[in-house]
């Protein structure tokens, strides 16, 4: 790689790391009461989106590292009769996620990052192409729908398996303070089609 190219690559990576550090700190500083309010406002925002509520098979996540909490959202979606799925680390394909059916009775166990996930059971795996909606966590987003995660590439790899003509909607969930002016992107980043904060709905399509 030419020296200049190498320097540019380095600065993109350094900039992405700086954004991650900054935004993770911002969201960690939200008070517990603000977080709780944000989580119930998120559920309301989603319930007000007819395009989402018309769908049936919805992948959600369980919050980690001060991510926007999804407890009230999951409750509301269950109440509306939706089928909910949670990400599980793929047992054989490192860096990929599987989505497993999640019901009120599903037992959860912490994965190697300490994030609770359903026990792996092939009969409960939902093929990604059969999901109607995938709500993703993220660290930062910008007004063009670019998404920066925690840096593991799990969602990028997994979402790259969606067929080009897939009707599955990829929707980011974030606190308002996670919006940044511009995210320097990499070739493998999968952008968001929509994004919901406790206060706002963004459609990037
Ligand atoms: N489709 C892919 N195939 C192979 N490697 C990938 C793919 N997508 C991302 N990666 C790798 O994952 C690593 C992290 O990517 P990136 O910094 O974009 O993570 P992220 O978007 O913050 O994380 P996540 O997707 O888990 O939210 C990079 O080294 C990248 O090469
Ligand atoms: Mg990425």
């Amino acid at each position: 790689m030419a020296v200049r190219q190498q320097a540019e690559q380095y600065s993109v990576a350094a900039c992405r790391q700086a954004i991650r550090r900054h935004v993770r700190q911002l969201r960690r500083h939200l008070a517990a009461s603000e977080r709780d309010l944000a989580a119930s406002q998120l559920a309301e925002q989603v319930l007000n989106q007819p395009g989402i509520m018309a769908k049936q098979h919805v992948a959600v996540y369980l919050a980690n590292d001060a991510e926007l909490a999804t407890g009230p959202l999951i409750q509301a979606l269950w109440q509306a009769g939706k089928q909910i799925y949670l990400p599980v680390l793929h047992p054989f394909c490192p860096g990929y996620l599987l989505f497993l059916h999640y019901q009120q009775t599903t037992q959860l166990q912490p994965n190697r990052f300490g994030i609770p996930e359903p026990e792996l059971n092939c009969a409960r795996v939902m093929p990604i192409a059969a999901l109607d909606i995938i709500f993703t966590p993220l660290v930062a987003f910008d007004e063009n729908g670019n998404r920066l995660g925690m840096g593991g590439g799990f969602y990028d790899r997994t979402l790259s398996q969606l067929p080009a003509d897939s009707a599955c909607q990829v929707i980011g969930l974030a606190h308002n303070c996670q919006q940044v002016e511009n995210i320097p992107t990499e070739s493998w980043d999968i952008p968001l089609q929509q994004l919901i904060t406790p206060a706002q709905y963004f459609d990037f399509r």
Side-chain angles (χ1 to χ4, degrees):
M1 203 190 276
V3 172
R4 174 142 178 249
Q5 246 180 324
Q6 236 171 4
E8 277 171 9
Q9 264 320 102
Y10 175 74
S11 72
V12 166
C15 183
R16 285 159 69 93
Q17 272 313 95
I19 294 173
R20 283 192 183 98
R21 246 196 327 272
H22 174 67
V23 177
R24 285 179 67 189
Q25 196 169 21
L26 278 183
R27 72 180 182 188
R28 264 201 300 270
H29 279 98
L30 293 171
S33 56
E34 275 178 284
R35 268 169 222 280
D36 290 347
L37 180 63
S40 39
Q41 287 173 334
L42 167 70
E44 262 173 65
Q45 289 277 351
V46 172
L47 292 179
N48 284 331
Q49 290 300 325
I52 296 176
M53 296 311 288
K55 305 294 184 183
Q56 193 57 30
H57 299 284
V58 183
V60 190
Y61 63 87
L62 295 181
N64 174 49
D65 190 61
E67 286 164 352
L68 180 52
T70 53
L73 172 63
I74 291 173
Q75 290 297 334
L77 293 174
W78 271 335
Q79 211 140 48
K82 309 298 171 197
Q83 302 304 312
I84 303 294
Y85 305 84
L86 286 178
V88 170
L89 296 175
H90 199 296
F92 321 121
C93 302
Y96 286 81
L97 302 170
L98 292 171
F99 291 97
L100 266 82
H101 197 203
Y102 179 42
Q103 293 169 295
Q104 254 124 335
T105 52
T106 304
Q107 295 286 321
L108 300 175
Q109 57 191 21
N111 66 19
R112 66 185 158 89
F113 299 109
I115 305 170
E117 58 178 36
E119 197 178 327
L120 190 56
N121 172 344
C122 294
R124 298 176 69 82
V125 173
M126 183 68 160
I128 183 168
L131 288 167
D132 297 315
I133 290 174
I134 300 177
F135 286 120
T136 80
L138 56 102
V139 174
F141 67 97
D142 67 19
E143 63 178 6
N144 296 313
N146 294 313
R147 171 186 178 279
L148 194 65
M150 293 280 278
F154 289 92
Y155 275 91
D156 284 324
R157 281 189 206 87
T158 306
L159 296 176
S160 74
Q161 299 172 307
L162 280 172
D165 60 351
S166 166
C168 179
Q169 300 176 32
V170 179
I171 308 177
L173 300 181
H175 290 287
N176 300 296
C177 67
Q178 291 173 240
Q179 183 168 9
V180 299
E181 204 170 307
N182 177 44
I183 293 178
T185 54
E186 297 279 18
S187 56
W188 57 79
D189 284 328
I190 307 279
L192 298 164
Q193 295 162 357
Q194 301 164 66
L195 182 133
I196 302 175
T197 74
Q200 247 180 312
Y201 167 75
F202 297 79
D203 194 341
F204 307 113
R205 292 170 295 180

